[in-house]
Amino acid sequence: MEYTSGAASWQKVLRRAGAGLLPRRPRQRRPGWSIGVPLIAAAAGLLFTTSATTADGTALREDRRPQLNQFIEDRREQVAGSERRAAELRGEVEQRTDSLADSDGPIKAQRDRAARSLQAAGFTALAGPGVTVELNDAPQSDKVHPDASNDDLVVHQGDVQAVVNALWAGGAEAMSIMNVRVLATSAVRCVGNTLLLHGRVYSPPFKIVAIGDPAALQQALAGSEGVRLFKDAVDDYQLGYKEEAVARVTVPAFEDSTALRSATVPR
C-alpha cells in the first residue's frame, strides 16, 4: 500500500475534480413542475388575449361615464331639435287649414268638429282645483338605512303608476307629470331611478298634478294598495311622499305626437 503526504493527497483530489471524476449529488426532480410551467404560461397567454380582445384598443380602466353623458346630451339636443321642427310643421299645417276653411265648407265643418274635441282629447291647457303628489328617493345616508338595498331607496315605475292610476280612478279630469300633460294612454317607464315619459328623461323628485275634486282624489289615493305600500316604504326607508290639495292648479296641453300606430272600430 502506498502512502502519500497530505499535500499530495489534496493535489490528487483537485486533479480528479478538474477531470470531472468526483461523484455528483443526484438532483431532486419535481414531477409536477414540468407540467405546471406550461399550464401557467397557457393561462397567462389566455388572460392577455382576453384582455386585449375586451379592450379593443382602449384602456379597460377607462372611465366611460363622460362619453355616456355626452351621448345622452347629444340625443337630448337631437330630440329637442326634432320637437322644434315638428312644432313648426304643425303650425304650418294649422295655418294652411285655416286658410282653406275660409273657402271650403267641408274642411271648415271638420275643423269645427275637431275644435270641439280638443279639450276632451287633452290638447288644451286646463286649470282648476286638484291635488299634487310628489315622490322622491331616500336620502343617501348609510346611517339612515344601513341594511337597505339600492332598490329599497328609489322610486320605481310601479310607485308612479300607482299614484297615476289612483288619480284617474278618483275622477281626475286632467293630469301632468313633471309639467308634461299625460293622457289615459300615456306610458310611464322608469330607467334606473329616472323617469322616461314621451321620449324625455326626468330625475326625481317626480311631481304629479291632477285636476278634479280634491276630496275624491285624496280618497282614491288613500284607498290604493300601491300607494299604501309606497307609504310603508316611506316610513321604513325615508322615501319622499308629499300630497297636497290645492285650490287651483294648471295642467298644460298635450304637445306630443298624435299619430296612431293601431286602432280598432268599436262595436
Side-chain angles (χ1 to χ4, degrees), residues 83-179:
E83 290 177 346
R84 288 192 296 269
R85 178 57 178 163
E88 293 174 359
L89 293 175
R90 284 195 297 267
E92 184 178 346
V93 170
E94 290 292 334
Q95 183 179 2
R96 295 189 178 187
T97 302
D98 292 342
S99 299
L100 290 173
D102 295 336
S103 58
D104 193 310
I107 291 181
K108 184 178 185 304
Q110 292 300 323
R111 180 176 175 274
D112 294 341
R113 175 174 174 269
R116 291 192 297 267
S117 303
L118 287 178
Q119 179 173 334
F123 291 97
T124 59
L126 293 178
V131 168
T132 64
V133 179
E134 185 177 286
L135 308 177
N136 199 4
D137 293 345
Q140 298 296 323
S141 174
D142 295 337
K143 296 180 181 179
V144 176
H145 30 66
D147 299 328
S149 65
N150 292 333
D151 288 340
D152 296 329
L153 308 178
V154 297
V155 179
H156 292 279
Q157 173 181 323
D159 304 325
V160 180
Q161 193 67 62
V163 173
V164 170
N165 290 343
L167 292 173
W168 284 130
E173 301 174 13
M175 193 182 309
S176 68
I177 303 176
M178 303 302 286
N179 203 36

Side-chain angles (χ1 to χ4, degrees), residues 151-226:
D151 288 340
D152 296 329
L153 308 178
V154 297
V155 179
H156 292 279
Q157 173 181 323
D159 304 325
V160 180
Q161 193 67 62
V163 173
V164 170
N165 290 343
L167 292 173
W168 284 130
E173 301 174 13
M175 193 182 309
S176 68
I177 303 176
M178 303 302 286
N179 203 36
V180 176
R181 181 70 172 267
V182 294
L183 307 178
T185 56
S186 298
V188 178
R189 296 286 184 268
C190 284
V191 180
N193 68 331
T194 60
L195 177 68
L196 179 63
L197 180 63
H198 296 165
R200 292 185 289 269
V201 180
Y202 302 93
S203 299
F206 305 128
K207 186 174 183 179
I208 305 168
V209 177
I211 294 178
D213 181 10
L217 295 177
Q218 289 187 308
Q219 183 178 359
L221 289 170
S224 170
E225 179 69 15

Side-chain angles (χ1 to χ4, degrees), residues 41-102:
L46 178 61
L47 178 62
F48 292 147
T49 302
T50 304
S51 299
T53 304
T54 304
D56 193 19
T58 63
L60 285 177
R61 295 179 180 269
E62 180 183 358
D63 188 358
R64 299 188 178 182
R65 284 177 294 180
Q67 299 178 12
L68 180 59
N69 293 337
Q70 184 62 42
F71 175 78
I72 294 175
E73 186 63 28
D74 293 342
R75 290 301 184 187
R76 284 180 178 176
E77 293 179 359
Q78 292 178 8
V79 171
S82 298
E83 290 177 346
R84 288 192 296 269
R85 178 57 178 163
E88 293 174 359
L89 293 175
R90 284 195 297 267
E92 184 178 346
V93 170
E94 290 292 334
Q95 183 179 2
R96 295 189 178 187
T97 302
D98 292 342
S99 299
L100 290 173
D102 295 336

